[in-house]
């Protein structure tokens, strides 16, 4: 079993990282989140191109594919996602490209199926299965540190107001994942706000 690969980054695309270690070039499928993390690492270190990626090995009769992750939490989330019926490795990677690990954990723990469905390739039934199957597991494994035991947010929010505010902001052109995060934070601090006030505050905070 390969736990991680540390070596020189020789090639990088948004979907694939090639890492040379001990004279062997390993091609690892990556998410956009890991791609961004690698880009930041390259920027911080100038000419230094050494990277460390945690590995998941997908071994099938017709293929042997390596998936690389910038941190263990993303890999743990990936492994949980592929345990859900209807979610394969490609879909799991797509989900981790559309949201960060914490954002995906947040959507699952709060039962926000609409946000999960906004990811390409994820339908209504799959989103519901993800929530049912993983709501408790993501907390038990400690993937989402900010979510307390029981799989709910620290403070309850008005789901109807949250969904309307996220929908309105999405129509204005904002990405659903960061929008959801900002809206939930606003409603945790001011749970009685109407939709229009939540949207106005969110417009000032979304980056």
């Amino acid at each position: 079993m390969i736990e991680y690969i540390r070596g020189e980054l020789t090639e990088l695309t948004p979907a694939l990282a090639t890492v040379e270690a001990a004279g062997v070039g390993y091609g690892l499928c990556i998410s956009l989140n890991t791609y961004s993390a690698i880009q930041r690492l390259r920027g911080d270190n100038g000419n230094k191109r050494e990277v460390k990626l945690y590995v998941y090995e997908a071994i099938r009769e017709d293929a042997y594919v390596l998936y690389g992750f910038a941190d263990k939490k993303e890999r743990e989330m990936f492994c949980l996602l592929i345990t859900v019926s209807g979610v394969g490795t490609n879909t799991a990677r797509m989900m981790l490209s559309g949201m960060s690990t914490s954002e995906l954990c947040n959507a699952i723990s709060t039962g926000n199926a609409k946000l999960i469905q906004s990811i390409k390739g994820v339908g209504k039934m799959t989103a519901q299965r993800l929530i049912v199957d993983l709501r408790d597991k993501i907390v038990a494994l400690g993937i989402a540190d900010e979510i307390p035991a029981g799989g709910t947010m620290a403070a309850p929010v008005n789901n109807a107001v949250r969904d309307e505010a996220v929908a309105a902001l999405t129509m204005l052109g904002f990405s659903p994942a960061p929008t959801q995060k900002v809206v939930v934070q606003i409603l945790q601090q001011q749970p009685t706000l109407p939709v229009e006030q939540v949207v106005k505050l969110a417009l000032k905070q979304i980056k």
Side-chain angles (χ1 to χ4, degrees), residues 115-192:
L115 184 60
I116 299 172
Q117 285 176 244
S118 69
I119 300 170
K120 182 180 179 181
V122 180
K124 181 178 181 180
M125 293 299 295
T126 299
Q128 292 174 343
R129 280 196 296 267
L130 283 163
I131 292 168
V132 172
D133 292 356
L134 303 183
R135 189 191 293 257
D136 295 327
K137 293 180 181 178
I138 59 175
V139 178
L141 286 177
I143 295 176
D145 293 333
E146 72 277 12
I147 302 173
T152 57
M153 296 299 294
V157 299
N158 186 319
N159 289 340
V161 172
R162 178 200 65 198
D163 290 345
E164 287 185 39
V166 171
L169 289 162
T170 301
M171 290 179 65
L172 290 173
F174 294 98
S175 178
T179 296
Q180 156 88 1
K181 185 177 181 179
V182 170
V183 168
V184 168
Q185 289 175 344
I186 291 171
L187 286 173
Q188 284 179 327
Q189 296 170 2
Q190 304 180 68
T192 60

